[in-house]
Amino acid sequence: MTSERPTGLDPSDWQEFRSAAHELLDACIDRLSAAADHPWQPVPEEVREGYALPEAGAGLDDPARLAAELRDTVLPHGTGNTHPRFFGWVHGTGLAEGLLSEMVAATMNANCGGRDHGSIYVERAVIDWTRRVMGFPEGASGILVTGTSQATVIALQAARLRALGADVRAKGQGGRWLTAYAGDGAHNAARKAIELLGIGHENLRRIPEGENGLDLDALKAQIAADREAGALPFAVIGTAGSVDFGRFDDLDAIADIAADEHLWFHVDGAFGAWTRLADAPWRGLSDGIGRADSLACDFHKWMYVPYDCGLCLIRNEDEHRAAFAARPSYLAALDTGLAGGDPWYCDYGIDLSRGNRALKVWAAIRAHGAEGLGRAISDNCRRAAQMAELVEQAPGMKLMAPVVSNLCVFTADETLPPEAQSALNGAIAQKLQLSGDVVFSTTLAQGVTCLRAAITNHRTRPEDITHSIAAVARATREARE
């Protein structure tokens, strides 16, 4: 006679589960506390093959086995962005507080689409704190999302409703010709949003840029030309921190043009919006951001919280809600009880079911405050300036764009022809990633594929910058030899 297994999915022995969980938590803390010892590494083939899932699970009786697999085969093989010399792309680097908050969030397993529970009030507190930091008025609306890409869709949908009226949700855009405007260096999130809204990316006008960002005269000329051609200009997108060079548009000047032309003013502040917390002169880069109709930014980049968490902030709550509210009868709110708690976040965005993104942000702010987070952001900018100085002092290296904030773009050997420089820089980036020395990404500047460092890591110290440039110099010498 066979014994029946429990029909539930909880552990059959909670004490055994507790012991396994404690060991795994210790391994996670060990890993995080020694982040400098764990650069990115390729995933070995045998580990990749081990990720294949079996037909049958291990069962309720072996939590230690699962914990060991998580510790030994998953934990060591992240992107390496917790490491202090990870400068690729614009990656966030995580906080110890995030480990605690994510543990609590997973235990609560709250659906933050709505209803009346603690996580909703935590999210409201995070949004209101950010509203004040960014200079948005009291009563402004917001929602936490996966990241700036999703936030941009939400913002531009609200902008489209302002331009075309609420009927666009029922009847569609029809033959009406909308145009929007952004600098040449604006993030691809703008293009994706315009495509997803059915406007078509050819109607996102790319405006030339200079060292001071978007060309304001060219912007005004393009708006006038589009109106003359029969288009309806509806939105202009300012950039606070471009992905290639960390440049900032003149947000105050764009706000003036948007007001004169009756355009929705959206700011892509994925990482650069957080210069609002930085010291001078970096804080001034984002002056004017509080005049925007909407802002997209990420907490998982330059606020260091674990992935994923972005924010869409919208000046007018009525316009925000009008763009998304469509609640079926089974989700009707009540005055009291769990079905209370209006407003519900499902009325302000794409998702009906939503995870608890706010808790890790709340924990970071609770632990460090605006002052502590701003100090780390300012230090990242200082490290980028330090890297630029070392590049300018190194024989053969050349800075390929001014360091405005936290990005440094350079070539390893300017004496080579452009094509050879590109090949060398690409080879160096790969070599240093594989060696574990430093992670640079690459970008195009002055016709050359360059090394690019985006410093958004609160663990980065002056000696990490010195080590990184020395590693580039060494790799360049080895390539010459």
Side-chain angles (χ1 to χ4, degrees):
M1 183 177 179
T2 59
S3 60
E4 288 191 8
R5 293 177 60 82
T7 57
L9 298 177
D10 282 335
S12 56
D13 186 332
W14 279 103
Q15 188 57 47
E16 186 179 1
F17 177 84
R18 184 189 304 273
S19 297
H22 275 251
E23 290 184 13
L24 183 57
L25 176 60
D26 283 340
C28 290
I29 294 173
D30 289 345
R31 183 88 182 181
L32 205 55
S33 64
D37 298 332
H38 301 291
W40 173 83
Q41 57 179 316
V43 183
E45 184 177 353
E46 63 272 18
V47 173
R48 296 199 306 267
E49 291 173 350
Y51 291 154
L53 291 168
E55 293 298 324
L60 299 173
D61 302 322
D62 198 4
R65 176 181 171 184
L66 176 59
E69 288 179 337
L70 290 168
R71 181 194 65 217
D72 298 336
T73 68
V74 177
L75 185 59
H77 298 295
T79 54
N81 51 305
T82 57
H83 192 278
R85 293 194 298 276
F86 187 101
F87 306 136
W89 304 275
V90 185
H91 268 48
T93 50
L95 292 166
E97 293 79 23
L99 179 60
L100 301 180
S101 58
E102 291 287 74
M103 184 168 60
V104 171
T107 304
M108 294 173 69
N109 193 30
N111 182 344
C112 294
R115 288 156 286 270
D116 192 347
H117 54 99
S119 300
I120 296 295
Y121 295 101
V122 168
E123 184 160 349
R124 291 179 191 171
V126 166
I127 291 168
D128 192 57
W129 181 87
T130 308
R131 174 193 67 77
R132 297 194 305 271
V133 166
M134 297 300 166
F136 273 55
E138 188 171 353
S141 183
I143 185 169
L144 297 187
V145 292
T146 55
T148 288
S149 294
Q150 188 179 13
T152 305
V153 176
I154 290 172
L156 293 185
Q157 168 67 347
R160 185 169 67 161
L161 252 73
R162 177 191 284 182
L164 299 179
D167 279 354
V168 71
R169 291 188 62 183
K171 299 178 181 178
Q173 192 170 309
R176 287 170 289 186
W177 176 18
L178 294 179
T179 53
Y181 308 84
D184 274 336
H187 193 273
N188 198 42
R191 170 177 169 152
K192 284 187 177 181
I194 290 290
E195 290 175 347
L196 287 168
L197 292 172
I199 297 168
H201 68 253
E202 289 183 357
N203 296 312
L204 176 62
R205 306 305 202 204
R206 292 291 191 167
I207 307 301
E209 293 180 340
E211 293 299 330
N212 297 317
L214 184 151
D215 184 322
L216 301 173
D217 290 333
L219 171 63
K220 289 186 282 188
Q222 184 65 61
I223 293 169
D226 286 334
R227 288 196 197 280
E228 181 68 22
L232 175 59
F234 83 107
V236 57
I237 300 168
T239 296
S242 68
V243 289
D244 282 321
F245 306 114
R247 292 174 181 158
F248 286 70
D249 288 334
D250 185 337
L251 301 181
D252 266 320
I254 296 175
D256 289 339
I257 293 172
D260 291 342
E261 298 285 353
H262 304 289
L263 303 181
W264 182 284
F265 177 31
H266 174 70
V267 173
D268 181 335
F271 65 95
W274 296 111
T275 56
R276 299 314 294 165
L277 299 177
D279 300 333
W282 303 292
R283 189 181 193 279
L285 293 170
S286 51
D287 283 353
I289 203 168
R291 298 178 61 190
D293 291 295
S294 58
L295 166 68
C297 62
D298 291 325
F299 290 102
H300 60 227
K301 287 190 174 77
W302 223 0
M303 285 285 278
Y304 313 108
V305 304
Y307 283 96
D308 58 27
C309 188
L311 169 69
C312 181
L313 197 61
I314 294 183
R315 173 175 295 274
N316 186 312
E317 181 176 4
D318 291 339
E319 291 181 310
H320 187 182
R321 193 177 192 281
F324 292 96
R327 208 185 306 178
S329 59
Y330 78 94
L331 291 177
L334 300 176
D335 293 335
T336 61
L338 183 56
D342 258 350
W344 286 22
Y345 283 112
C346 62
D347 291 332
Y348 294 85
I350 296 167
D351 299 321
L352 181 58
S353 298
R354 304 173 63 247
N356 189 350
R357 296 188 178 97
L359 190 58
K360 53 195 172 189
V361 184
W362 183 89
I365 297 168
R366 197 79 162 185
H368 304 285
E371 182 179 354
L373 293 164
R375 189 164 52 245
I377 290 166
S378 299
D379 189 65
N380 288 159
C381 293
R382 292 187 181 94
R383 299 289 70 78
Q386 177 195 357
M387 182 176 287
E389 291 175 5
L390 292 174
V391 165
E392 291 178 321
Q393 294 166 9
M397 292 189 201
K398 180 185 177 183
L399 202 62
M400 299 295 275
V403 171
V404 176
S405 51
N406 62 325
L407 270 76
C408 182
V409 178
F410 65 99
T411 184
D413 189 350
E414 66 165 326
T415 66
L416 298 174
E419 187 175 341
Q421 286 187 56
S422 294
L424 174 63
N425 291 329
I428 288 173
Q430 295 173 73
K431 179 182 178 67
L432 297 182
Q433 290 169 14
L434 290 167
S435 69
D437 275 301
V438 55
V439 171
F440 291 103
S441 55
T442 59
T443 194
L444 195 66
Q446 302 179 35
V448 174
T449 297
C450 298
L451 295 167
R452 173 183 172 278
I455 303 175
T456 51
N457 195 323
H458 60 91
R459 302 181 181 96
T460 302
R461 300 291 179 264
E463 54 269 27
D464 293 307
I465 303 299
T466 304
H467 177 100
S468 299
I469 297 303
V472 172
R474 183 174 63 252
T476 304
R477 288 194 302 271
E478 291 171 355
R480 286 172 181 158
E481 294 167 0

